[in-house]
Amino acid sequence: MEALVTPSSCLECRGDGYRVEAEVQVGPGDGEGRRARAVARVCRCREPCPHCGGRGFLYTSRQVEFSKKVGPKQYEALAPCVCRLLAQRVSTFAQAGIPAHHATSSFTTFRAKGDDQEKTAALEQALGVARSVAQEWRRDRPARGFVISGRVGSGKTHLLSATLRHVVLERGASAQYREISLLYADIRRGFNAGKSGGEIISRLVDADVLAIDELGRGRGSPFEMETLDELIARRYNSGLTTIVATNFSLERERAPSHAPRGFQAPEQALDREELLVERIGERIYSRLCEMCDFVSLPGRTDDFRRTKQDGRPTRRLVRPAQ
Ligand SMILES: Nc1ncnc2c1ncn2[C@@H]1O[C@H](COP(=O)(O)OP(=O)(O)OP(=O)(O)O)[C@@H](O)[C@H]1O
Ligand SMILES: [Mg+2]
Ligand SMILES: [Zn+2]
Ligand SMILES: [Zn+2]
């Protein structure tokens, strides 16, 4: 069973059986001790489990025919209850490392509505691609991934997080999220500790679904780039699902600088000069072309962070009484 059916009357989880929230962990004061991530919790409506009362197992009856002479016989067997599966998914979700800020990012909370038709169509397309990757994923038939390109605040990390949330909590996949600069930092730390590239990335190589955010940002050292190359190559060879977000353009070529009048070259329209392929190199780019569908949000897609701010009433500064 892939989806966990739960009563839909619960107002807290709306029948999902879990809630996703932000968790902040404060560790030793090394500057990197504070870790904020999205975690899932089994909803109160599922505790104790309404199916098994918290035992974790259910009796099911099975019919088995050992011989024609005796005929079919009915057996009572113990089977794990769905609540065990849910507990496992909830714990896998916490290990994915999704940023705390995106605890509320799901397909349901993504608004595919721009202030003109072109933007709305692009947002709908991006949401559609991410959603179908998430819904089509099966362990024995991993879905093709996607690379989403767009400007700051256009909803890229939201869609990566929503996809991981769905594949882990609804489909039972294992997943990892890494922002590229943190991935380079992990590689550097591993390298300084004398580990090989393969050892450092083993967790990311094996995840059913891997999300790499901000690909192309910053330049890795030769060892970091080699390790990234190895990571993508190994996932490519195993046919695992990889999803990526980037601020850089997915166009193969730079748009001509002297475009004929009346023609707006896509690259100029996007106002994104640098190409992803130039940032990450031909080898990685070419593998991504085979592993993923490419989606571009249009250059003028609003920065959602600013839009939210614009909607807020301006606070008046009140001078303290002298
Ligand atoms: N279409 C949308 N519907 C609902 N919320 C959105 C949408 N797009 C963005 N947001 C929200 O706006 C904020 C910024 O979005 P997000 O972090 O996904 O942007 P981004 O494209 O990853 O930006 P950056 O390039 O800076 O990383 C988040 O809180 C996100 O949930
Ligand atoms: Mg982002
Ligand atoms: Zn509930
Ligand atoms: Zn149960």
Side-chain angles (χ1 to χ4, degrees), residues 14-152:
R14 297 179 191 281
D16 291 337
Y18 56 82
R19 286 172 306 112
V20 177
E21 55 195 48
E23 182 192 75
V24 179
Q25 287 180 333
V26 184
D30 60 357
E32 291 178 53
R34 191 181 174 282
R35 226 161 60 108
R37 57 178 184 170
V39 293
R41 307 211 187 280
V42 174
C43 183
R44 271 182 294 193
C45 71
R46 311 281 302 161
E47 283 178 333
C49 170
H51 303 297
C52 69
R55 286 184 302 277
F57 289 96
L58 287 172
Y59 280 106
T60 54
S61 94
R62 277 195 208 156
Q63 206 178 51
V64 185
E65 188 177 291
F66 289 113
S67 74
K68 285 267 177 265
K69 206 165 135 196
V70 180
K73 278 208 146 210
Q74 204 76 5
Y75 285 94
E76 287 277 293
L78 265 185
C81 177
V82 285
C83 64
R84 290 180 50 144
L85 217 48
L86 179 61
Q88 203 181 341
R89 291 180 184 184
V90 157
S91 128
T92 304
F93 184 83
Q95 308 305 317
I98 296 167
H101 175 75
H102 284 278
T104 52
S105 297
S106 68
F107 293 131
T108 327
T109 57
F110 188 82
R111 255 187 78 232
K113 181 110 188 66
D115 50 18
D116 65 36
Q117 268 187 341
E118 189 201 348
K119 286 184 203 167
T120 299
L123 288 165
E124 276 173 356
Q125 194 205 7
L127 173 63
V129 167
R131 192 178 244 153
S132 70
V133 167
Q135 288 175 347
E136 282 166 20
W137 184 90
R138 304 270 182 287
R139 179 157 289 109
D140 57 348
R141 193 164 41 85
R144 234 174 114 69
F146 63 82
V147 180
I148 183 166
S149 156
R151 294 180 80 172
V152 166

